[in-house]
Each structure stands twice: as structure tokens, then as C-alpha cells.
Amino acid sequence: MKFDNIIIGGGLSGLTCGIKLAEQGKKCAIVSSGQSAIHFFSGSFDFLGKLNGQEVKNPLEAIKTLPDSHPYQRVGVENIARLAVEAPLLLNRAGLSFLGKADQNHFVLTPMGIMKPTWLTLDDFTRFEQKNTFPWKKAVILNFSGFLDFHTLFVQDGLKKFDVDSQVKNFAMKEFEAIRRNPSEMRSTNIAKVFDQGEDALNEFAEKVNLLSEGFEVVILPAVFGLFNKNVVANLKSKINKPLVLLPAIPPSVPGIRSQIFLRKRFEELGGTYFLGDNVEEGTLENNRLVAIHTKNHGDIKLEADHFVLASGSFYSKGIVATREKLYEPILGLDIDGDTDNEKWLDEKFFNDQPYMHYGVKTDSHFRALINGQPIENLYVAGSVLGGANALKEGSGAGISVLTSLHVAEQILK
């Protein structure tokens, strides 16, 4: 099978790149091994939340001080600023409405009751401009009886720091009796499916919320609405007579799975081919070019393309593998920007900046992968498989995934 572009990895990075290329009329395929990190999505995409341990107010200004090896610096500050404007527009075309600006972080309330700086937030969730204040002083925190993935006491404890008087209430509905008997079934996705099925359950739920919220200024609920239907949250907000704040629950994330579904749908509507549940096992290199890849499901059938993009993720997604003996990229054996001495991979102090978090596939200035120091002319690298950043410490993971993918797509389109 022959394509213009093949992307290895079907997460946020791969889908963003694929959509960008497909929007320009390119025939694209994505090979995805399975569930991506989008399923852990908290409702927001971070750009740059912290730098040297300090919270960042203006990410576009802050990235100017990052080291030259950082993906943002390598893309270029001006390019990052331009792509940061393009990114939410691309997401919106996929049916996902995100709000936020790259030159000013806003805040979202976490399940721990802490305000966290972020870049783009799905319109399901409430955005706050101030870190140290909560607009309401009397809150009710509601949860479904038997739903263990929403820790209401953590939320309540966090709100005390804002001098918020809060109360936790649990409630039951007949629609959830069957799944409530089995804790493994009382998960956010199963709750969301009930509300996706029609208005009756949502109307009953809204009535209960209005009754339980009497005497309170704001309602706080777990984000378990709108798995397949993005209008459920807006519909719910219109039925509740108090402001509604949704907080992420323990994954699987309902808004995350919805985002994955919508991004994949957009890619396929543009003519893209999405190979789900398939693993790339090896590639064929000729004259410093990748001419084809071989996958587990396709056997002897080669997948050929003019250009390839490696967006396979880092250690979590096995885009990079570490054993006691070595650190390596498992498909082509690409060069890794990381120490070969495994004693240097970790800092003995757990909360320090861990060296291995900065490791990734080496690339040239055009983000082309290197093997034995030489660039593969048509193989580009994007997302968390790149080295040069500790996305966890910086709060930069989604920004790196989206913006490097858009940049790589532009390199291919030139």
C-alpha cells in the first residue's frame, strides 16, 4: 500500500500531524498500536507551566530562556508563536472547542483542589484568571454513589485554602444500579454512556442536582459527561440553575476519549487511513531514505510512503525502550540523545529533575531522524519521542506534542 505520508503513532502528536497534512490534500495513514495518552487527558493542554521551579505567566516570553536543545527553541520562538495560534483552530475544525492564549496561562482547578497553570482548556471546564482565589464561597461537591474515581475529600480539602465552605453529597439514580453493583463497571465511561443515550437520565440528574445544591453558590461534579456527544455538557449546564465546575476523574478520561474519537474522525473524514491495534516492527532503508515499514497485522504487505513521521511517544508508549544493558529506539535503531551509562539515567533524589526524562531520538535541524549520525531524508520526528525537555516538570507535554507535529507537517509540505 502506498501513501504520501505514514505516521507511526496515533496519539495527540500523530493525529495533529495527520490532520494538518490531510487538510492539504495529502494521502495519509496512521499506524497506532492502541490506547494513547489522550485517554489520561485532564481537560487542558499545557504549553509551559513551570520553568526552574517557578510558575510561568507568559509562556511565549518564557520559552526564549529555554536551552537551545529544547524542542521549542529548535522549532523557533517565532514559529512556535504562529503555530500556537493555529493549533486551537485545527482542534476546533475537529469539533473540539478549546480556549486559551499562548502568551498568558490561565488556571484550572485540579482534582486535588489546586489551581494549575495551563494553555488550552476544553470548553467543558471552567477557566480561572487568578491562582489564589475561587469565585464562590459556598460549594457543593456531588458524586455518584459507588463511583470511586472521584476523590471528593481531596477537592474539599483543597478548597479550604480558598476559604470556601464546601459540603460533599453522594446520590443514587436507578439508571446506575446495575453498574454500581460491580465497582469495576462503575467507571466514568459507563456513566457517560447513560447520559449519551437520551434526555430522560440527564433531566432526572439535573433535577437531583438542583435539589441538592439549594443554599450553595456553585456545583462541583466529576467530568463524566459527553463521551460521544459533545453537546451533553452544554445541555446539562442549561438545566442546572447554579454555576457548574467539572473536575477530571481518574482515567479513563471521558473528555480525553471524546477528544481521541473526534480527532480520529476528523482525520478519516479528510481521507486518512487509521490502522488501529497494529505495531510497526521494522522498516526498509535505502540510500538514507525509509521506503517502507512492516507491521505485525499486515505481514508481508509493505506500507510505503514518500515521507514518514515517528510520533511513537516516549518510554510510556515504548517509543523508546530502556533495559539494564541499553537505551534504544525499537523500530529502526535510531540514534538516541541519552547517556549510555545506565547509572546516570536517574537522580537518587526522586523529586529532582530526572536525566532520563530528557532523552529522546536524535534529529537534525529539520527534525529528521538520525541513524549513525546521518539523517534519514524522509523520516521526521515529533512529540514526546523527541529529547531535550522534561515535560512532566515543565508542564509542556501537550504543547510539545501539538506544536512539533505542526512544525514537522510544514517541513514535509515545503
Side-chain angles (χ1 to χ4, degrees):
M1 284 183 278
K2 179 71 165 62
F3 300 88
D4 295 326
N5 308 286
I6 293 177
I7 299 159
I8 303 169
L12 179 61
S13 183
L15 281 164
T16 302
C17 187
I19 290 171
K20 168 77 171 179
L21 291 167
E23 284 182 336
Q24 300 303 311
K26 299 300 181 181
K27 183 182 178 183
C28 300
I30 290 175
V31 182
S32 176
S33 61
Q35 186 183 97
S36 79
I38 304 180
H39 287 221
F40 293 82
F41 177 52
S42 66
S44 296
F45 288 155
D46 297 338
F47 186 139
L48 185 64
K50 286 190 175 182
L51 187 57
N52 300 322
Q54 301 297 313
E55 282 191 357
V56 170
K57 293 182 179 179
N58 184 336
L60 286 183
E61 282 296 318
I63 63 174
K64 297 176 182 178
T65 66
L66 291 170
D68 292 342
S69 58
H70 196 284
Y72 289 154
Q73 285 283 22
R74 297 182 59 211
V75 172
V77 174
E78 291 184 2
N79 286 331
I80 287 291
R82 176 177 53 79
L83 295 172
V85 174
E86 179 183 336
L89 300 178
L90 180 146
L91 295 168
N92 188 64
R93 292 193 294 273
L96 300 170
S97 179
F98 283 85
L99 297 175
K101 298 184 295 182
D103 61 356
Q104 183 180 350
N105 276 332
H106 60 265
F107 296 90
V108 290
L109 188 66
T110 73
M112 300 297 290
I114 298 169
M115 290 289 187
K116 180 180 80 76
T118 192
W119 168 37
L120 297 175
T121 297
L122 201 63
D123 61 2
D124 290 14
F125 296 88
T126 305
R127 297 169 300 283
F128 301 93
E129 299 303 320
Q130 302 296 325
K131 175 186 176 182
N132 297 316
T133 61
F134 191 72
W136 305 278
K137 292 303 178 185
K138 200 167 185 182
V140 60
I141 305 166
L142 301 180
N143 194 22
F144 301 87
S145 296
F147 182 51
L148 304 179
D149 294 344
F150 184 55
H151 299 302
T152 53
L153 295 181
F154 286 154
V155 180
Q156 187 178 41
D157 190 56
L159 289 175
K160 289 178 183 178
K161 300 171 185 176
F162 302 109
D163 296 322
V164 176
D165 179 16
S166 62
Q167 185 175 342
V168 175
K169 296 183 180 182
N170 294 321
F171 61 91
M173 289 176 60
K174 63 180 184 298
E175 288 86 350
F176 301 110
E177 283 303 313
I179 61 176
R180 194 164 71 89
R181 295 191 191 101
N182 185 347
S184 67
E185 295 297 323
M186 193 65 173
R187 306 304 302 272
S188 57
T189 50
N190 292 325
I191 294 172
K193 288 175 184 176
V194 172
F195 293 119
D196 275 351
Q197 290 171 359
E199 289 280 318
D200 291 344
L202 197 66
N203 288 335
E204 180 188 348
F205 175 71
E207 289 177 8
K208 284 183 176 289
V209 171
N210 286 331
L211 182 63
L212 293 170
S213 63
E214 288 183 0
F216 296 91
E217 298 175 15
V218 64
V219 176
I220 298 175
L221 286 168
V224 294
F225 307 95
L227 183 63
F228 304 110
N229 184 353
K230 67 178 181 179
N231 297 319
V232 170
V233 173
N235 196 5
L236 177 62
K237 289 180 178 180
S238 71
K239 296 176 185 295
I240 295 177
N241 54 28
K242 301 285 173 62
L244 174 61
V245 174
L246 296 180
L247 296 185
I250 291 175
S253 159
V254 169
I257 295 174
R258 187 204 318 156
S259 297
Q260 173 90 23
I261 291 169
F262 277 43
L263 288 169
R264 177 181 171 181
K265 181 181 177 184
R266 171 66 173 168
F267 175 68
E268 292 179 328
E269 286 177 345
L270 291 165
T273 301
Y274 194 93
F275 296 112
L276 178 62
D278 202 359
N279 289 286
V280 179
E281 296 187 323
E282 61 180 355
T284 302
L285 292 169
E286 294 179 2
N287 300 320
N288 284 339
R289 290 182 64 85
L290 180 60
V291 296
I293 57 172
H294 303 265
T295 73
K296 183 176 182 179
N297 291 352
H298 285 83
D300 294 334
I301 301 173
K302 297 184 295 185
L303 300 183
E304 301 174 293
D306 297 324
H307 297 93
F308 295 81
V309 178
L310 183 69
S312 52
S314 188
F315 295 98
Y316 170 78
S317 304
K318 298 182 180 179
I320 304 172
V321 178
T323 67
R324 290 182 180 274
E325 293 77 27
K326 62 179 179 178
L327 187 70
Y328 65 99
E329 187 280 316
I331 299 173
L332 294 166
L334 301 172
D335 295 350
I336 297 291
D337 187 6
D339 205 301
T340 56
D341 182 355
N342 61 12
E343 293 185 0
K344 297 180 180 179
W345 293 353
L346 300 171
D347 189 298
E348 62 181 12
K349 294 183 179 178
F350 182 79
F351 291 103
N352 282 1
D353 187 6
Q354 296 294 333
Y356 78 91
M357 293 294 289
H358 295 263
Y359 296 169
V361 171
K362 282 185 180 180
T363 67
D364 67 5
S365 60
H366 299 288
F367 285 77
R368 295 179 300 183
L370 302 181
I371 188 165
N372 298 323
Q374 296 297 314
I376 301 175
E377 295 179 5
N378 64 335
L379 174 60
Y380 296 83
V381 183
S384 59
V385 73
L386 288 165
N390 185 337
L392 188 62
K393 278 278 187 183
E394 298 172 353
S396 62
I400 290 173
S401 291
V402 172
L403 300 177
T404 59
S405 295
L406 292 176
H407 179 66
V408 160
E410 289 188 342
Q411 306 310 299
I412 293 172
L413 291 168
K414 285 181 179 178

